[in-house]
Amino acid sequence: MSIEIWPPLVRGEHERHDKALDACLGRCYRKLISIHFGINLHQDKRLDAACGFTARGSGDPDDSTATIRRWGQGKRPSPKSIDKVRRATLGAVDLDAWAAYPVIELAKLGAPCTKERLQALLLARSLRVRRRLDLEADGRSGTWFEAPSRQELLRVRNLRSLDAFVALLALARRGELTEQAHDFVLPAMCAYDIWPRVVARTPALQWRWEELTACLHRAFWSRRYLDWHMPTSMERLCTNVHTVLASPQAIYSLCSGRLRTPEWELAQQWRLLGDEYVLARAQRAAEAGMKILGKLSARSRQQRSEQGASSNG
């Protein structure tokens, strides 16, 4: 059974959600350009001029002083605009890399990712992430990987990187695609736990991060399964982001739980084995007691029978 968005989205909200994600991506572009040139985010004309968007009244939306501002309103940059920014920054700012970055794609509700696309996204992750998920990019397009264990997911979560975050979102989407609630919930909660760290470590995401956080929360963390709601509130998430931005080493509680050491896991297994041993001993003792009780009962009946026979004699 699938896990549904709660509260349910009304008509047209899918489109508004996806448009808001495009606007978030446009603000990431603006932040990257601002960082490179050292220009204030709100100085539109200077940002446009630095990238070569200087034509006034030309009628060309890809070569006007409002180009970058329109990206923040949800308009996707054209290949011509991307090339202009690349040349203006001498290759330091490549908007193509961000345009293809899958956080926005995975968070969209209008056109869910296919099974093949999710597999490709997982295989495209860094070696550190793939190793923790036991994945190898061997080119086998027909392979559909098994759902990772809890320990593997928590190890990916503990990387606290944008790449790990993408992998967790892809795994959550895969659980949703297969309508397995348990395969959706844990990856989604792991992504929820590291989002504050991802924001703090990725400057491009920090300008008006609340809007992107709201979109991600709607897509992944505002869910219900039967009568159970995910314990991933928007208020708690925003508080954690503020905390980490103010103090990157800050610690906060995790919804997805703690990663146990191999020693702890072994100790748990020994404890369970010990409990089973004690139970088995108790069962054997009970069986032996029943056998003794049966023998005593039989002896008692025999003695009564003998006594009755001697009385009759």
Side-chain angles (χ1 to χ4, degrees), residues 90-204:
L90 302 178
V93 178
D94 184 5
L95 300 187
D96 256 340
W98 276 90
Y101 214 78
V103 170
I104 304 298
E105 177 185 356
L106 288 166
K108 288 201 170 183
L109 299 175
C113 292
T114 63
K115 170 182 173 180
E116 293 74 20
R117 177 58 178 161
L118 291 173
Q119 179 174 298
L121 288 175
L122 287 171
L123 288 175
R125 305 283 53 85
S126 66
L127 182 61
R128 292 182 70 195
V129 172
R130 294 203 313 272
R131 279 179 174 172
R132 282 161 175 76
L133 292 173
D134 196 23
L135 300 179
E136 290 299 332
D138 55 8
R140 294 175 297 172
S141 59
T143 303
W144 184 241
F145 302 108
E146 295 293 328
S149 67
R150 178 178 182 274
Q151 293 291 90
E152 289 171 333
L153 288 171
L154 296 188
R155 289 191 183 100
V156 173
R157 179 202 69 186
N158 287 356
L159 291 174
R160 302 177 176 181
S161 65
L162 184 58
D163 207 46
F165 183 75
V166 170
L168 292 167
L169 294 188
L171 289 167
R173 282 293 188 214
R174 190 175 75 161
E176 184 177 34
L177 186 65
T178 57
E179 296 190 348
Q180 298 295 322
H182 57 279
D183 288 340
F184 172 89
V185 170
L186 187 55
M189 291 176 69
C190 288
Y192 176 91
D193 283 336
I194 66 169
W195 176 242
R197 308 287 183 191
V198 172
V199 173
R201 294 182 176 191
T202 314

Side-chain angles (χ1 to χ4, degrees), residues 210-264:
E210 296 90 346
E211 296 173 33
L212 179 55
T213 301
C215 291
L216 289 169
H217 191 273
R218 186 181 304 114
F220 290 98
W221 305 317
S222 183
R223 297 295 185 114
R224 184 182 73 166
Y225 177 69
L226 299 178
D227 292 329
W228 178 81
H229 295 260
M230 289 180 66
T232 47
S233 73
M234 181 66 176
E235 295 77 13
R236 176 181 176 180
L237 183 58
C238 289
T239 298
N240 289 341
V241 175
H242 280 297
T243 300
V244 176
L245 286 174
S247 176
Q249 301 304 318
I251 297 174
Y252 51 87
S253 60
L254 302 176
C255 290
S256 50
R258 296 175 58 189
L259 176 62
R260 305 297 185 179
T261 63
E263 292 77 10
W264 186 91

Side-chain angles (χ1 to χ4, degrees), residues 5-47:
I5 295 176
W6 192 261
L9 300 180
V10 299
R11 184 177 180 180
E13 199 164 355
H14 286 76
E15 292 77 11
R16 289 193 292 273
H17 170 88
D18 291 354
K19 186 71 173 177
L21 282 169
D22 287 336
C24 291
L25 185 58
R27 286 190 285 273
C28 289
Y29 298 153
R30 188 187 186 102
K31 179 69 174 179
L32 289 168
I33 295 169
S34 169
I35 291 172
H36 177 79
F37 289 112
I39 300 173
N40 188 286
L41 278 166
H42 303 287
Q43 294 181 327
D44 293 342
K45 292 181 180 180
R46 289 190 62 195
L47 290 172

Side-chain angles (χ1 to χ4, degrees), residues 29 55 83 148 163 168 205 242 268 287 291 310:
Y29 298 153
D83 187 58
D163 207 46
L168 292 167
L205 300 175
H242 280 297
Q268 286 294 100
E287 291 170 359
K291 288 181 180 178
S310 61

